[in-house]
Amino acid sequence: MPAALTVFRAFLFLASSPGIERHFVRLVKGALDWWSGKKIAVIGPTASGKDSFLARLQNREIPEVHSNSPMGEKVKSFRVKLALSNHQVIDITCKGVINIGGETDYRDAPSGWLSVCADADVVFYVMTVNDLSKKRYLKGRRIRQDLDWLQTAMPHLKPGALIHILINKIDQEIESHIDYRSLAEELAEDLRALNAIVKNVLHPYESSYTGATLISMKNKQIYTRAINDALRSVYSGFYGTVKRKKAE
Amino acid sequence: MRAYWILPNRDQKDEIYASDGETIRPLRQILDPKFRPEGFSHGVPTELLEKFGPKAFAEILFAQRFPNWSGDKQLFSVSTTAGLDSSGRVVHLGLLFILEPHERPRFELPYASLSEEDKAYASALIHRMTSSVRGDSWTQSVRDLIELPSDSRPATNVALDRSVVRFRSLYVVGPGGLTKKAVNRSKWRTTAIVLLTLFAVVVAWLFVHSKNRPLALRHGEQSSRPTVQIGVVTWRFN
């Protein structure tokens, strides 16, 4: 009984301290954030490699049974734990991920891309290196239409949600990950043009854009190299958001 | 009734195409994506393909029914796999019906204008749905969905685990393949209703009996056992 009384007195003392409420709320919120995991959304045109990316994130091989996704399907929660090259560690539990098709029909349906992206912390937009070299990000073309859609979707996404572009299928251009840098240099002009257009189209939400990464879901070496770059950019995006929030 | 083929996206185009049997046009001109019901599928869900494996792909039929989709109109669709696209992914062929209330789908849509490859799958689908092949549980599951008494809930022929929408479903995928779920469930439901009714009758009888018994005794019921009278209520001690 005296012990209970002491605990109660200590609680009253702490509760009366200035700022304790704020600390308590932050503690509880931090714990909840930690346990709730992160939600990612993977969108992009058909056959751009969305399913393969989800498989790679789960450390699975690209499935043999591979289908043109005919409806939104829930993906079982999975954990992504990766040690990045600069000693940062990505340890997130992806929850509530939905796999959806890439045809514009899915993009424009109310239960389509918007419902997939609505609660996402990170939206990965997957396109192909062919889309980049054929400049499908120019006005009236598919990638640009998707970016226009993304801009209108931004107000309905989670505050602070980040957008990252993955430019897939670079294994069609290079044989090995050793040639990655030379391809990046070769495509530098296209990449700059894409970045400029994305920032322009996403305005005033351009700060959510964390960049575009050349990747191959098929080639494991290229994937390992590229995902490191992509997640570092996303990580920096999160860190930047936290810093910005603190500054405000 | 309006019926359309939902065509396989073999060339990985940005849009899904449909045909009324004569002309081919984007599906969005027939069924605006904005008005497509939540959970509407343009083919066989991936989870069914994964559960059954490539050898059984040709057998799988996936059907959906959305009553009261637009006013009192209902939407009904049946899909089957239809080979592979240019990068080796499974593609799908579907039959979409826009039905008036209480109207049933009729599997008579022409397919002569479809591509040679699509024609083969369309013909096979129509044949399965119009002929009575014994032991084809997938076809039977689609027929049972058509006959399902009208309900406002969307329904599928087979239960899905990964759908974002909850569907009423008649069949379930088990170790032995496709098995009917609805019969067992309705049996259980009937049994539960009978048991509950019996229980209610027994409780009611006991309630009435326990009320009437003292009254009967009060009105001079003869008992060999000694009684003690308190006020108007008589209690019997054993």
Side-chain angles (χ1 to χ4, degrees), chain A residues 3-246:
Chain A
L5 200 65
T6 313
V7 170
F8 182 65
R9 277 180 184 152
F11 172 76
L12 282 179
F13 172 74
L14 285 171
S16 62
S17 305
I20 194 75
E21 191 189 337
R22 204 172 62 242
H23 287 297
F24 183 71
V25 168
R26 195 188 297 163
L27 193 73
V28 171
K29 199 172 172 300
L32 286 176
D33 280 351
W34 175 258
W35 287 110
S36 61
K38 294 280 178 241
K39 186 176 171 183
I40 61 158
V42 184
I43 54 170
T46 190
S48 57
K50 300 179 290 293
D51 287 13
S52 304
F53 179 49
L54 284 173
R56 282 281 180 230
L57 277 178
Q58 294 169 72
N59 204 20
R60 286 192 291 118
E61 286 304 313
I62 294 165
E64 275 180 41
V65 177
H66 202 189
S67 165
N68 168 252
S69 307
M71 73 185 295
E73 289 183 65
K74 286 186 270 187
V75 176
K76 212 175 171 185
S77 293
F78 61 92
R79 198 171 173 195
V80 179
K81 197 172 179 185
L82 285 173
L84 303 182
S85 58
N86 58 352
H87 307 296
Q88 288 168 343
V89 174
I90 294 282
D91 187 358
I92 52 173
T93 305
C94 294
K95 288 183 176 178
V97 179
I98 296 165
N99 187 14
I100 197 160
E103 286 89 348
T104 53
D105 298 69
Y106 298 101
R107 184 190 64 197
D108 300 335
S111 59
W113 285 15
L114 188 59
S115 68
V116 169
C117 297
D119 306 318
D121 297 283
V122 188
V123 176
F124 287 103
Y125 179 80
V126 187
M127 57 187 269
T128 65
V129 71
N130 199 28
D131 294 328
L132 181 73
S133 53
K134 295 223 165 129
K135 300 191 190 321
R136 291 201 182 108
Y137 50 82
L138 294 179
K139 201 169 183 181
R141 307 197 71 187
R142 174 62 201 266
I143 304 300
R144 175 61 188 271
Q145 288 169 358
D146 289 351
L147 292 171
D148 287 339
W149 174 87
L150 203 51
Q151 196 265 352
T152 60
M154 286 306 289
H156 308 287
L157 303 192
K158 200 171 172 177
L162 300 174
I163 314 288
H164 195 88
I165 294 181
L166 296 171
I167 302 166
N168 189 24
K169 301 195 179 180
I170 64 164
D171 53 284
Q172 292 173 355
E173 307 287 325
I174 53 173
E175 278 181 19
S176 136
H177 66 291
I178 297 164
D179 306 321
Y180 187 94
R181 191 183 290 270
S182 61
L183 181 73
E185 281 166 9
E186 204 179 298
L187 295 171
E189 203 178 309
D190 283 330
L191 284 167
R192 265 196 299 276
L194 174 72
N195 278 330
I197 281 175
V198 174
K199 283 178 183 168
N200 207 12
V201 172
L202 289 186
H203 181 75
Y205 300 97
E206 67 269 32
S207 61
S208 302
Y209 177 54
T210 60
T213 308
L214 297 167
I215 201 165
S216 165
M217 308 304 170
K218 201 172 169 186
N219 182 309
K220 213 167 181 176
Q221 284 79 33
I222 298 174
Y223 172 82
T224 306
R225 184 199 160 120
I227 198 65
N228 182 68
D229 291 350
L231 292 181
R232 273 174 69 172
S233 302
V234 171
Y235 190 99
S236 306
F238 270 123
Y239 186 64
T241 311
V242 172
K243 267 173 70 174
R244 273 200 304 278
K245 273 186 184 167
K246 274 184 182 170

Side-chain angles (χ1 to χ4, degrees), chain B:
Chain B
M1 181 188 86
R2 286 192 290 152
Y4 304 91
W5 292 106
I6 299 179
L7 302 175
N9 190 4
R10 294 188 195 284
D11 304 319
Q12 304 181 341
K13 287 178 185 152
D14 287 331
E15 284 191 286
I16 297 169
Y17 282 81
S19 169
D20 57 1
E22 290 175 5
T23 54
I24 293 173
R25 53 192 169 133
L27 178 62
R28 61 170 61 235
Q29 289 178 10
I30 294 156
L31 192 62
D32 191 326
K34 290 187 183 76
F35 301 115
R36 278 177 216 176
E38 205 179 351
F40 178 75
S41 182
H42 303 81
V44 179
T46 309
E47 70 164 280
L48 293 180
L49 300 179
E50 286 176 2
K51 279 176 185 168
F52 284 91
K55 280 181 186 166
F57 280 0
E59 293 169 26
I60 304 172
L61 292 178
F62 179 69
Q64 287 184 300
R65 183 172 151 180
F66 295 92
N68 309 327
W69 155 68
S70 172
D72 51 3
K73 281 193 171 60
Q74 53 173 324
L75 214 60
F76 190 92
S77 70
V78 192
S79 309
T80 177
T81 58
L84 306 174
D85 70 7
S86 49
S87 62
R89 300 186 310 163
V90 177
V91 288
H92 314 263
L93 176 82
L95 256 174
L96 173 72
F97 298 93
I98 298 170
L99 303 165
E100 296 299 323
H102 311 299
E103 203 175 17
R104 288 178 184 184
R106 292 189 307 275
F107 296 89
E108 54 193 27
L109 188 65
Y111 46 84
S113 66
L114 306 188
S115 72
E116 286 304 314
E117 202 172 2
D118 293 348
K119 249 188 241 179
Y121 292 101
S123 158
L125 179 58
I126 294 282
H127 176 73
R128 281 178 78 180
M129 290 314 305
T130 49
S131 58
S132 49
V133 182
R134 290 187 77 184
D136 186 350
S137 54
W138 287 101
T139 308
Q140 190 54 48
S141 71
V142 178
R143 287 196 185 121
D144 287 351
L145 183 66
I146 293 168
E147 299 301 328
L148 189 70
S150 201
D151 188 314
S152 60
R153 287 177 296 166
T156 53
N157 61 328
V158 56
L160 300 173
D161 298 326
R162 293 175 1 199
S163 167
V164 288
V165 174
R166 286 194 73 178
F167 288 101
R168 186 182 173 195
S169 52
L170 297 168
Y171 285 73
V172 67
V173 175
L178 199 63
T179 48
K180 198 162 185 178
K181 175 180 86 169
V183 171
N184 292 341
R185 195 168 262 190
S186 70
K187 264 185 186 171
W188 277 108
R189 201 177 294 159
T190 314
T191 314
I193 289 167
V194 168
L195 283 173
L196 275 171
T197 313
L198 271 173
F199 181 70
V201 167
V202 170
V203 167
W205 182 83
L206 282 171
F207 183 72
V208 170
H209 190 71
S210 66
K211 263 192 164 179
N212 288 344
R213 188 133 187 102
L215 280 174
L217 286 171
R218 194 181 59 189
H219 288 294
E221 187 188 320
Q222 294 300 313
S223 171
S224 56
R225 279 174 276 192
T227 59
V228 174
Q229 203 166 351
I230 305 163
V232 289
V233 182
T234 307
W235 299 89
R236 188 182 339 162
F237 293 101
N238 292 314

